[in-house]
Amino acid sequence: MKLTDIIAEDCAKTAVLFNSKKRLFEFISDLAHQQAPDITSQEFLEALLQREKLGSTGIGKGLAIPHGRIDGLQNTIGFLIVNQSPIPFDAIDDKDVDIFIVLLIPEQKCQQHLQTLATIADKLKDKQFCRQLRYAENNHQLYQIISSEAS
């Protein structure tokens, strides 16, 4: 699986500037509502916040994979967000986070969701790949980086 299988070009954003997890989630929820207008921004936000209450999705080294299951969503929606500077995120290593790969998954596709999370976590182990994401100069370049990564 390539990241472009779940992240459309208009869902890759770099040089954004948020100072809190909640504000980031609000931004993502608004973007998700644009992708799936039948579901409200509030429903997306609640799904992300609900999952985060179970434990931080910050996996360490400045990386997080926030995700949520959405009843009524037809297809998985993914986002790649690179914040200008790391924000507090309660990650497992207590380091702030600047790279977010966000997944919003249809409620009925939970098993596929677990495999997708594992695949993404594996890709994020590549330090060079993460460095390229952090230094992307614009949204198009960010998307090109994930378009050219190996399957």
Side-chain angles (χ1 to χ4, degrees), residues 24 27-28 32 46 56 80 100 111 127 134:
L24 173 74
F27 175 73
I28 292 164
E46 287 174 12
S56 178
L80 170 58
F100 304 88
Q111 194 58 40
K127 290 179 184 178
R134 284 186 171 101

Side-chain angles (χ1 to χ4, degrees), residues 5-84:
D5 293 342
I6 55 170
I7 300 172
E9 186 164 3
D10 61 344
C11 295
K13 307 288 184 189
T14 192
V16 295
L17 184 57
F18 299 106
N19 58 9
S20 73
K21 183 188 297 190
K22 185 170 187 217
R23 182 60 198 115
L24 173 74
F25 285 175
E26 289 169 346
F27 175 73
I28 292 164
S29 297
D30 289 342
L31 290 177
H33 175 64
Q34 292 171 18
Q35 298 292 316
D38 293 343
I39 299 170
T40 67
S41 296
Q42 188 62 34
E43 289 173 286
F44 287 117
L45 178 60
E46 287 174 12
L48 290 169
L49 292 172
Q50 191 72 21
R51 168 55 190 87
E52 208 64 27
K53 283 181 185 175
L54 298 174
S56 178
T57 54
I59 62 172
K61 299 183 182 178
L63 309 167
I65 311 174
H67 52 281
R69 296 185 300 199
I70 310 291
D71 191 33
L73 186 64
Q74 298 304 309
N75 298 302
T76 298
I77 304 172
F79 300 91
L80 170 58
I81 308 291
V82 180
N83 207 43
Q84 283 183 11

